[in-house]
Amino acid sequence: MKQLNSNQCFGGQQQQFEHDSQVLNCTMRFSIFMPPQASEGKVPVLYWLSGLTCTDENFVQKAGAQRMAAELGIAIVAPDTSPRGDEVADDEAYDLGKGAGFYLNATQEPWAKHYQMYDYIAYELPTLIEAHFPVTDKRAISGHSMGGHGALTIGLRNAPRFKSISAFSPIVSPLHCPWGHKALTAYLGDDQALWVKYDAVELMKKIKGNEAYLPPIKVDQGLADNFLQEQLKPQLLENAANDVNYPFEINLRDGYDHSYFFIASFIDEHLKFHAQYLK
């Protein structure tokens, strides 16, 4: 790994690194906040997945999460949202290609060589973090919009590797929204049977009562969100969770939109939620 930046923050360190990813076949960046407690022993980790057009820097600079993370003793890892580099396939639209990896493993050309974001987030990146930083193997996952979709699907498919899941304004069902149809058709092809494992609502429907561990889920959704009705549809996930008695909490926030002002308003509550399961 190569360190790019380091800044002291609330007694801890906000840092940025790049590394060569074998899964993505390119050089990747991630940001990591190490709380002050990391100087005395290992700390648990929250993985934060950002939304369309974002990089590893948006959450770090806009969410204001470091103060509470320092108080709770939680590291936060914020990866990039897609593979990067001149050889990586891209599209002119903002919702496909670079900045729009959708946290899945692509099977279609020209995407398959690099766009293996599911394996990167679920396996390669945690292995790297746990090998090079003073962290435990207790992990939580959270995200916003496209990143909320990633947090829900990766968390649900990898219990108990991830102890808890949360999301702001998540795309809960790519099968039922324009963003999802465009991305999943491009990355996975036309067979929607292959899409199901990247759809949180469909994954929730398959939950049985005999699972060894169900990571609790917390969702916050702004009611002034321009994407609420067409793209996000949180009621689909709420209904699926209620049908299987899943440990699920949703907060509908009047007046809040899709921006980082919304995330900054409630990020402390999400960190406290995860702290219950990481300690």
Side-chain angles (χ1 to χ4, degrees):
M1 292 191 303
K2 177 182 178 182
Q3 183 172 307
L4 303 177
N5 291 293
S6 182
N7 301 93
Q8 186 157 314
C9 185
F10 292 103
Q13 292 290 323
Q14 181 64 62
Q15 300 175 320
Q16 185 182 52
F17 293 86
E18 68 178 17
H19 72 103
D20 293 330
S21 169
Q22 295 182 358
V23 168
L24 302 178
N25 295 300
C26 66
T27 299
M28 289 293 287
R29 287 191 330 194
F30 66 86
S31 292
I32 182 169
F33 175 71
M34 295 302 299
Q37 294 87 339
S39 64
E40 301 174 358
K42 293 184 176 182
V43 296
V45 185
L46 173 68
Y47 289 85
W48 171 270
L49 309 183
S50 291
L52 290 167
T53 75
C54 291
T55 69
D56 62 299
E57 296 182 333
N58 295 72
F59 177 81
V60 168
Q61 296 175 357
K62 296 180 178 181
Q66 292 92 340
R67 181 186 64 81
M68 183 56 65
E71 181 178 322
L72 296 172
I74 298 173
I76 303 178
V77 174
D80 204 346
T81 54
S82 77
R84 302 284 179 173
D86 294 340
E87 296 182 357
V88 174
D90 197 11
D91 189 90
E92 293 182 356
Y94 77 95
D95 53 358
L96 188 67
K98 294 178 184 177
F102 269 83
Y103 304 103
L104 51 74
N105 289 340
T107 60
Q108 303 297 302
E109 298 300 334
W111 313 105
K113 180 179 179 181
H114 297 288
Y115 285 76
Q116 305 294 312
M117 287 295 293
Y118 177 89
D119 282 351
Y120 177 69
I121 300 298
Y123 303 112
E124 185 182 33
L125 185 59
T127 298
L128 180 78
I129 297 299
E130 288 160 25
H132 291 277
F133 295 92
V135 300
T136 70
D137 61 357
K138 291 187 179 297
R139 315 172 196 92
I141 193 164
S142 184
H144 172 231
S145 194
M146 177 186 74
H149 142 76
L152 289 167
T153 55
I154 292 171
L156 284 169
R157 289 176 59 185
N158 289 276
R161 280 177 56 81
F162 294 95
K163 302 298 184 184
S164 52
I165 305 166
S166 76
F168 289 85
S169 316
I171 302 170
V172 303
S173 184
L175 274 77
H176 295 94
C177 74
W179 276 339
H181 269 256
K182 179 177 181 177
L184 271 60
T185 299
Y187 294 138
L188 302 175
D190 294 326
D191 185 358
Q192 293 192 11
L194 303 177
W195 299 9
V196 171
K197 61 184 178 181
Y198 299 112
D199 187 292
V201 171
E202 296 303 315
L203 292 172
M204 185 68 75
K205 291 177 180 178
K206 297 179 183 298
I207 296 293
K208 303 292 191 299
N210 59 353
E211 269 82 359
Y213 182 76
L214 298 176
I217 295 175
K218 179 183 179 71
V219 170
D220 270 67
Q221 174 63 61
L223 293 178
D225 192 319
N226 291 335
F227 303 112
L228 177 58
Q229 300 302 325
E230 183 180 26
Q231 304 281 13
L232 306 180
K233 305 180 181 181
Q235 71 277 4
L236 297 179
L237 185 63
E238 182 180 16
N239 292 340
N242 289 338
D243 286 344
V244 297
N245 295 314
Y246 196 94
F248 178 84
E249 168 192 347
I250 185 168
N251 300 290
L252 302 177
R253 307 291 190 177
D254 190 41
Y256 285 91
D257 58 20
H258 201 71
S259 71
Y260 264 87
F261 294 109
F262 172 44
I263 297 170
S265 298
F266 299 103
I267 190 62
D268 284 4
E269 293 185 16
H270 281 241
L271 289 168
K272 291 176 182 178
F273 164 77
H274 290 294
Q276 300 173 71
Y277 306 100
L278 290 173
K279 295 297 185 180

